Amino acid sequence: MLSDIEICRTTSLSAISDIAEQAGLLEHEYHPQGYHKAKVTLDAVSRLKGNRDGKLIVVTAITPTPLGEGKTVTTIGLSQGLKKLNKSVMACIRQPSMGPIFGVKGGLQVEAIRKLPQWKS
């Protein structure tokens, strides 16, 4: 079995332009931050708001197992499983704080998210 570093060294990364194209973004709707990442503009959100809604799954606050399986492993495993079920999937492992999006900071984020109409616990 390959080690983590061996897997990383043998895996080729896709260009962000290819990923953006697969996601349906137009060239002016994202700003590359190097070859493998980009920031998406709000223009893309405005243009795509009439499309069928997607689903956002936030994996948070999992205590890792003794083997270190936590949020990242769960996120990647979930993404791979959904892809295996022929779902269109994208995973963002490192994303900015959701607090500013919901207008709150710190521990209040969870309560604000729970109060959203679509939240089902």
Side-chain angles (χ1 to χ4, degrees), residues 11-33:
T11 302
S12 59
L13 298 176
S14 299
I16 193 63
S17 57
D18 295 340
I19 294 170
E21 184 179 324
Q22 290 173 10
L25 296 176
L26 303 176
E27 195 171 332
H28 69 275
E29 293 177 330
Y30 66 96
H31 301 290
Q33 307 289 304

Side-chain angles (χ1 to χ4, degrees), residues 13-86:
L13 298 176
S14 299
I16 193 63
S17 57
D18 295 340
I19 294 170
E21 184 179 324
Q22 290 173 10
L25 296 176
L26 303 176
E27 195 171 332
H28 69 275
E29 293 177 330
Y30 66 96
H31 301 290
Q33 307 289 304
Y35 191 69
H36 301 292
K37 61 183 179 177
K39 292 186 177 183
V40 178
T41 67
L42 291 176
D43 294 340
V45 176
S46 298
R47 181 177 65 84
L48 297 171
K49 72 179 181 182
N51 287 5
R52 197 175 84 215
D53 289 342
K55 304 294 182 218
L56 171 66
I57 301 171
V58 178
V59 179
T60 183
I62 294 176
T63 303
T65 68
L67 298 175
E69 298 156 324
K71 296 182 290 288
T72 300
V73 171
T74 300
T75 299
I76 296 302
L78 181 61
S79 300
Q80 289 176 327
L82 289 169
K83 183 68 176 173
K84 189 78 169 173
L85 294 172
N86 294 319

